[in-house]
Amino acid sequence: MEGPLQDPYASVAAHAPRPRAQAGRAARIALLAVALLASVGFGALVVAPRLRAPAPESTLVARPTPALVVAIRDLSRLETTEVHVEKVVDLADRQSRLFGLVQATDALLLVAVGHVTIGVDLARIGEGDIAMDPETGVARLTLPAPEVFATRLDEDATYVYTRKTSLLARRNEQLESRARKEATEAIEKAALEGNVMARAKAQAERQITALATQLGAKRVEIRWRDVGVGGD
């Protein structure tokens, strides 16, 4: 009598892993891979800034170009006074945007430091402006009034303190140049206030008197005239 029939796939099923166990192993492998990648990724984020090369330093390169002398003028000027002035210029370019609905602004604050040189232009002295009495030794001079020779900004001390451009504003590339011009005019105006011109005259009288005395004058008389009146 034959025994019960054997299932040919019974042994295979007995040795094959259970689906649930296989899924669990796959999940553990996936989690391990994710953890490994995460650790490597965070490590790269931490190490990357340290390994990044430093930013290169900017270098200004000035290419030599030829200089052309266009004019030479001889000067006969007696510089007597120099005035040091500091000025803050607050300049803004107000712009209308979106058909006038929005007001945009491009503004800067310039701290300016300048020098004004004042003196006497000896080239304005005519032949009749100098007289010498040989008997008394008195020298009589008529000098042009002191004037401003130069007004210049100190480039090392002048700087833009703030520059603010609104979101919708167009940056005005001429704004700083305009501010420097405003500063130069304001510095010259401030230098002429008070007794600066009187001080320039007194200094000129001292220097010219000392020079005339060395040349043999016993006494020096100086009169002043406005620039542009006679002798031009």
Side-chain angles (χ1 to χ4, degrees):
M1 185 176 181
E2 297 180 0
L5 295 176
Q6 299 290 334
D7 186 357
Y9 300 98
S11 60
V12 178
H15 295 285
R18 297 180 179 179
R20 182 175 299 179
Q22 186 175 3
R25 177 184 292 182
R28 288 195 297 271
I29 294 175
L31 291 176
L32 180 60
V34 172
L36 181 60
L37 291 175
S39 62
V40 173
F42 285 115
L45 290 176
V46 174
V47 177
R50 299 181 182 178
L51 298 181
R52 185 180 302 170
E57 297 182 358
S58 61
T59 303
L60 296 178
V61 179
R63 297 182 179 180
T65 57
L68 179 62
V69 179
V70 296
I72 299 177
R73 184 177 62 175
D74 296 329
L75 299 178
S76 299
R77 293 180 171 182
L78 177 62
E79 297 183 357
T80 60
T81 308
E82 184 175 82
V83 184
H84 177 90
V85 182
E86 296 182 0
K87 175 70 176 180
V88 176
V89 178
D90 188 357
L91 191 62
D93 180 14
R94 303 188 184 279
Q95 306 170 12
S96 179
R97 290 289 182 266
L98 300 178
F99 305 100
L101 299 177
V102 178
Q103 295 295 323
T105 304
D106 183 22
L108 65 79
L109 195 66
L110 179 72
V111 178
V113 178
H115 306 279
V116 180
T117 303
I118 301 173
V120 177
D121 188 358
L122 301 180
R124 296 179 180 272
I125 299 178
E127 295 181 358
D129 293 333
I130 300 178
M132 179 72 178
D133 189 343
E135 296 183 359
T136 60
V138 177
R140 296 179 176 87
L141 294 87
T142 302
L143 302 178
E147 58 185 290
V148 175
F149 286 161
T151 302
R152 63 188 184 279
L153 294 179
D154 187 343
E155 297 298 336
D156 294 333
T158 301
Y159 61 95
V160 176
Y161 182 75
T162 58
R163 179 70 185 263
K164 297 181 180 179
T165 305
S166 302
L167 180 61
L168 298 179
R170 178 180 57 84
R171 187 177 179 88
N172 189 345
E173 299 299 338
Q174 302 299 324
L175 194 61
E176 183 176 349
S177 299
R178 178 65 182 275
R180 288 176 174 271
K181 182 179 179 181
E182 294 283 345
T184 302
E185 295 176 356
I187 287 173
E188 180 174 334
K189 182 178 179 181
L192 297 180
E193 296 177 352
N195 62 343
V196 175
M197 286 302 179
R199 184 169 180 172
K201 286 183 177 181
Q203 179 64 13
E205 290 176 356
R206 284 193 292 267
Q207 295 183 14
I208 293 177
T209 299
L211 178 61
T213 302
Q214 292 178 1
L215 295 177
K218 296 180 180 179
R219 185 163 59 90
V220 179
E221 297 179 358
I222 297 178
R223 295 187 305 168
W224 296 94
R225 71 164 183 270
D226 294 336
V227 174
V229 178
D232 287 347

